[in-house]
Amino acid sequence: MAVALRFPGLAREPPAVLAICAAASSKLGRDQDFVCASARLPAQCWRRRGLVVRCQTGAAAVLRNEEATPAAAALKADTGFTVVMKFGGSSLASADRMKEVADLILSFPEETPVIVLSAMGKTTNNLLLAGEKAVSCGAPKASEIPELAVIKDLHLRTIDELGLDRSVVSGLLDELEQLLKGVAMMKELTHRTRDYLVSFGECMSTRIFAAYLNKLGKKARQYDAFDIGFITTDDFTNADILEVTYPAVAKRLHGDWMDDPAIPIVTGFLGKGCKSCAVTTLGRGGSDLTATTIGKALGLREIQVWKDVDGVLTCDPNIYAKAIPVPYLTFDEAAELAYFGAQVLHPQSMRPARDGDIPVRVKNSYNRHAPGTVITKARDMSKSILTSIVLKSNVTMLDIVSTRMLGQYGFLAKCVQVFSIFEDLGISVDCVATSEVSISLTLDPSKLWSRELIQQELDHVVEELEKFAVVHLLQRRSIISLIGNVQRSSLILEKAFNVLRRKGVNVQMISQGASKVNISLVVNDSEGKECVQALHSAFFENGFMSEVEGADVPQNGASLNSNGTIYGN
Ligand SMILES: Nc1ncnc2c1ncn2[C@@H]1O[C@H](COP(=O)(O)OP(=O)(O)O)[C@@H](O)[C@H]1O
Ligand SMILES: N[C@@H](CC(=O)OP(=O)(O)O)C(=O)O
């Protein structure tokens, strides 16, 4: 009998495990028992248990017959990370918040978590501001940049209030000051330096938190993601994670755990460029992506992202305070929602979770008992109509109408040629609507650091298009995305257009993508917020869902707390 241990990392590859078992079996003879485990487990983890590895075949460690079953049980218990828990800046804004988060983690003794942390509070924004000021302030003044003082004060105060030694971050704070002086001397802040600069936020928060857990008697180990195998492209400020990351991270976290178990506390948001070997970042809000990447790498049961809201809400609570939590979402819905502007999740973060088929739970660290939102591959859509409304502002729209010098075929082909310019500029096309002789599309820079389109570049695109079309460049537009069951699109559109007609708003473009979860409407920026509020009232507050036969009615009962965040009752 072969005992095939499904280790995290191998858990998603049963055929590979079986193949290894078969290979080991043929070496030992059929009647031998053996354990098939990851070769990533260091030899000492077997030795520590007094187990003799008879042979190592690929990823299989082969043990003596009678040892196989107990070894399997012991190892399974030992390597079983169960969840990844990610806490964002809003959950870690102060020493009190760190205490609360530690308490929250310890309140799940049955879990063996991997913890991913963002920078404390608004530290990333402050680091960016400090960097920009350093460019023009002159080297002697770099130490006096107010944001540097805010960052120092927050971290040192937190350390003091948690009763830790200042040496946990003092070295990093000195280094940060030196870096700002360097930027001031050079009078430039490249994307590469900017990534290095913001990395101080996560490097400090994780060191403080790990030290605090250790002080509480819960053994924890801090990790910088760029040192444990998070390998990315060299697209500074918006890097993509490469496939090699998954086995590398699994090997490092498992190996260390087997050697000396301690809760891993990993920096979110950061990686290491594959060619440059420099620190990269994954785009704003990228710690969500770090968490889902670890979830997939380790084959965990669940990925939890802890925020300051009761889950994904029916709209941005800053736009409309009556937003209510959405209990279930699919990965596609969540990705679409994030892509179209809902700040609550990083747009790329659903990909590893979907690939690994690992549920993502969005929870509120300020209100831990609220059920949150569970995001899975599929859900029952038969009763679903509208799930959430998302607003993306400051969008640029291009209206391109053929001058009819070209036939329809030639017109579209020419347009597509010109659109390749967008790719070169890193500008994504969000929505497209076409008629026989015209195309309308909305543009958004995919680089999340800066939402300003470069006028000069746009003028160039318009110039090219004007060779065969009349072009209108319309700025300051908003996309309202209705995320929901597009099988019920007539119902959604009927209701939405009724609302917008009553408000006297003219929709300038409609796009229903192939994604089947999103209908996008383009309006003026000045109308965007009010439209979202009116649509929210109509769909979620006036009994509309319960009037429609068989529709799911979202649970109401959210209220605002003093921070302006939504708490469930
Ligand atoms: N549809 C939405 N649902 C929930 N929160 C949203 C939504 N749209 C925007 N938000 C904003 O996203 C914030 C949470 O995301 P974020 O600030 O990235 O959290 P964290 O820093 O904890 O990771 C909320 O405080 C809320 O203001
Ligand atoms: N600190 C980074 C990464 C991040 O994910 O932050 P948060 O989890 O607080 O959104 C940022 O502000 O972009």
Side-chain angles (χ1 to χ4, degrees):
M1 181 203 61
V3 182
L5 260 188
R6 291 209 179 169
F7 275 90
L10 280 183
R12 304 279 149 186
E13 308 155 21
V17 174
L18 292 178
I20 293 158
C21 283
S25 175
S26 70
K27 280 201 172 189
L28 281 183
R30 275 163 193 243
D31 54 339
Q32 296 265 18
D33 285 3
F34 60 91
V35 174
C36 165
S38 167
R40 296 163 198 148
L41 297 175
Q44 60 267 37
C45 91
W46 301 100
R47 271 202 305 274
R48 261 209 333 242
R49 288 179 185 77
L51 299 171
V52 182
V53 176
R54 296 265 299 267
C55 72
Q56 194 92 29
T57 309
V62 180
L63 306 177
R64 264 197 302 241
N65 198 11
E66 61 280 10
E67 288 171 341
T69 306
L75 286 172
K76 196 172 171 67
D78 256 15
T79 54
F81 290 120
T82 52
V83 290
V84 56
M85 299 168 106
K86 177 257 168 172
F87 295 90
S90 57
S91 300
L92 297 166
S94 63
D96 281 348
R97 290 302 309 156
M98 288 231 179
K99 287 180 188 169
E100 183 78 27
V101 167
D103 181 65
L104 195 156
I105 293 167
L106 299 179
S107 73
F108 293 101
E110 72 284 7
E111 302 286 9
T112 308
V114 178
I115 308 296
V116 172
L117 301 184
S118 301
M120 290 184 72
K122 303 271 175 229
T123 299
T124 305
N125 287 354
N126 282 328
L127 286 164
L128 286 170
L129 273 172
E132 270 152 33
K133 288 188 182 171
V135 174
S136 53
C137 73
K141 294 261 181 233
S143 307
E144 294 160 31
I145 293 171
E147 284 74 14
L148 175 62
V150 171
I151 292 166
K152 280 185 177 174
D153 178 61
L154 173 68
H155 289 84
L156 293 175
R157 199 160 19 95
T158 303
I159 291 249
D160 293 346
E161 286 173 27
L162 294 177
L164 303 172
D165 195 311
R166 286 188 167 202
S167 64
V168 173
V169 293
S170 54
L172 283 173
L173 284 171
D174 290 345
E175 213 180 302
L176 170 63
E177 192 170 331
Q178 290 307 317
L179 178 61
L180 289 172
K181 281 185 185 161
V183 170
M185 263 183 242
M186 298 299 290
K187 297 187 174 53
E188 74 166 357
L189 182 61
T190 60
H191 280 193
R192 178 176 172 148
T193 308
R194 191 144 71 161
D195 274 358
Y196 180 46
L197 177 67
V198 291
S199 73
F200 282 79
E202 273 71 10
C203 289
M204 289 195 287
S205 65
T206 46
R207 280 168 174 76
I208 295 174
F209 193 73
Y212 182 58
L213 278 188
N214 281 315
K215 185 182 167 223
L216 294 181
K218 188 78 189 170
K219 202 162 173 191
R221 188 180 295 118
Q222 190 275 348
Y223 290 98
D224 291 323
F226 46 80
D227 275 344
I228 60 164
F230 271 84
I231 305 298
T232 70
T233 58
D234 286 291
D235 299 311
F236 293 105
T237 75
N238 206 17
D240 273 336
I241 290 178
L242 300 181
E243 279 299 311
V244 287
T245 297
Y246 297 101
V249 168
K251 180 177 177 184
R252 178 65 188 272
L253 294 181
H254 277 146
D256 285 3
W257 178 272
M258 297 309 299
D259 265 354
D260 180 18
I263 295 184
I265 313 290
V266 185
T267 56
F269 185 46
L270 310 177
K272 179 170 167 177
C274 58
K275 293 194 187 119
S276 64
C277 292
V279 176
T280 55
T281 61
L282 309 175
R284 293 307 304 266
S287 302
D288 295 341
L289 178 56
T290 308
T292 54
T293 301
I294 290 178
K296 181 184 165 192
L298 301 179
L300 300 182
R301 192 194 77 242
E302 183 169 286
I303 297 159
Q304 298 177 355
V305 282
W306 291 81
K307 308 256 166 190
D308 61 350
V309 276
D310 277 352
V312 177
L313 305 178
T314 43
C315 75
D316 182 344
N318 301 304
I319 293 177
Y320 195 45
K322 290 187 180 169
I324 49 181
V326 178
Y328 303 104
L329 280 174
T330 63
F331 291 128
D332 290 342
E333 287 174 307
E336 201 78 352
L337 206 129
Y339 184 76
F340 277 90
Q343 189 209 325
V344 64
L345 290 168
H346 183 279
Q348 303 299 330
S349 62
M350 289 302 114
R351 208 190 306 152
R354 179 173 33 203
D355 291 350
D357 196 9
I358 302 170
V360 175
R361 198 180 287 271
V362 184
K363 295 272 290 174
N364 190 349
S365 70
Y366 288 77
N367 184 24
R368 59 176 91 167
H369 299 297
T373 300
V374 181
I375 309 171
T376 47
K377 204 170 232 170
R379 68 186 183 101
D380 179 7
M381 294 296 282
S382 62
K383 294 179 181 170
S384 163
I385 301 179
L386 193 67
T387 312
S388 192
I389 305 171
V390 186
L391 181 68
K392 191 174 198 171
S393 303
N394 197 18
V395 165
T396 295
M397 182 170 145
L398 266 184
D399 256 342
I400 309 158
V401 183
S402 168
T403 50
R404 289 188 182 269
M405 277 153 44
L406 297 159
Q408 187 198 348
Y409 174 75
F411 171 66
L412 285 176
K414 274 275 182 198
C415 285
V416 170
Q417 267 173 23
V418 176
F419 294 164
S420 66
I421 300 175
F422 296 140
E423 194 187 347
D424 301 341
L425 297 177
I427 295 170
S428 59
V429 175
D430 288 341
C431 302
V432 185
T434 55
S435 76
E436 200 186 350
V437 288
S438 71
I439 298 187
S440 300
L441 45 87
T442 61
L443 303 178
D444 187 51
S446 62
K447 311 289 177 217
L448 298 175
W449 294 93
S450 154
R451 289 207 161 269
E452 294 303 315
L453 285 176
I454 310 147
Q455 190 60 47
Q456 216 181 338
E457 313 282 16
L458 273 178
D459 290 346
H460 174 57
V461 173
V462 172
E463 214 172 278
E464 288 297 305
L465 290 167
E466 277 176 340
K467 291 179 182 162
F468 56 91
V470 176
V471 183
H472 296 287
L473 186 72
L474 308 164
Q475 284 175 316
R476 286 177 292 283
R477 297 297 189 268
S478 284
I479 303 174
I480 298 173
S481 295
L482 304 172
I483 312 289
N485 185 356
V486 176
Q487 303 301 326
R488 313 287 290 264
S489 61
S490 301
L491 183 63
I492 296 172
L493 284 170
E494 181 198 9
K495 185 80 184 164
F497 276 96
N498 260 321
V499 171
L500 300 177
R501 182 178 51 79
R502 276 203 303 276
K503 287 193 71 62
V505 170
N506 264 327
V507 174
Q508 298 167 28
M509 175 178 157
I510 310 170
S511 159
Q512 179 177 330
S515 72
K516 299 280 182 245
V517 295
N518 180 4
I519 301 170
S520 293
L521 312 173
V522 176
V523 300
N524 284 334
D525 258 352
S526 55
E527 299 163 327
K529 270 192 178 185
E530 275 190 29
C531 288
V532 171
Q533 290 166 355
L535 288 166
H536 193 280
S537 294
F539 277 100
F540 297 111
E541 294 162 50
N542 294 328
F544 168 71
M545 298 294 193
S546 47
E547 276 166 28
V548 180
E549 206 185 328
D552 268 339
V553 183
Q555 292 304 302
N556 211 327
S559 57
L560 270 186
N561 79 347
S562 54
N563 301 334
T565 52
I566 299 264
Y567 277 12
N569 291 335

